[in-house]
Amino acid sequence: DIGKVGIHESILNSNKRLTEDEWRQVKEHPEIGYRILSSSLEFAEIAEDVLEHHERWDGKGYPRGLSGKKISLNARIICLADAYDAMISERPYKLMLSKQEAIEEIRYYSGKQFDPEIAEVFIEKVLKKQL
């Protein structure tokens, strides 16, 4: 989410439904992050992964609408980790979920938002050890 440095704080911390223009600005953060990282020799190799981290397994993500294994493996992992962090964190615009509720949410979105193989490994190898 390094690209969020280019999004106004009032939008990121809003507890109201975002306007169409505000949502468009938020959806630009992967591209902003990509530009920041690709300009650095040290981080250029992960720039594509950052660009793709809001793509969805079913192709309904952004910015390019990639689907399945057209999305880099690292981006698919980041997508799930980022979503899990959002689920279990307190945000001004939503209630946080318990770890068990987050597992249910990941299972529900497996094959839709998340790579089903990564979702299952994440649940079984990472989250189940924490419960």
Side-chain angles (χ1 to χ4, degrees):
D1 286 342
I2 189 170
K4 287 184 178 176
V5 300
I7 311 298
H8 198 277
E9 193 174 318
S10 65
I11 294 172
L12 294 176
N13 295 324
S14 177
N15 59 0
K16 299 180 201 164
R17 186 171 188 86
L18 298 179
T19 66
E20 194 172 309
D21 183 59
E22 289 169 332
W23 182 235
R24 180 193 53 74
Q25 290 178 55
V26 169
K27 288 173 71 174
E28 290 175 357
H29 85 270
E31 294 170 281
I32 295 167
Y34 171 80
R35 287 193 302 270
I36 291 168
L37 294 175
S38 63
S39 67
S40 162
L41 291 175
E42 186 177 357
F43 297 109
E45 68 184 51
I46 64 167
E48 282 289 322
D49 303 325
V50 169
L51 178 63
E52 297 175 359
H53 82 280
H54 280 290
E55 300 290 354
R56 290 175 44 123
W57 186 255
D58 62 10
K60 296 178 182 177
Y62 61 90
R64 299 186 283 180
L66 300 176
S67 64
K69 294 197 175 180
K70 292 177 185 166
I71 306 164
S72 74
L73 175 62
N74 288 342
R76 287 181 273 146
I77 293 169
I78 294 167
C79 174
L80 181 53
D82 183 47
Y84 176 72
D85 180 62
M87 289 178 210
I88 64 163
S89 299
E90 193 169 332
R91 303 287 169 103
Y93 51 87
K94 69 160 200 67
L95 297 172
M96 68 182 202
L97 302 179
S98 70
K99 287 184 180 173
Q100 188 57 48
E101 290 169 323
I103 289 172
E104 292 168 19
E105 192 86 351
I106 291 167
R107 282 203 171 110
Y108 178 80
Y109 285 101
S110 176
K112 299 171 187 150
Q113 181 176 355
F114 309 122
D115 176 326
E117 291 176 30
I118 292 172
E120 193 56 36
V121 168
F122 187 74
I123 291 168
E124 293 302 320
K125 303 291 184 190
V126 178
L127 300 182
K128 291 285 181 158
K129 288 184 178 180
Q130 296 176 354
L131 292 176

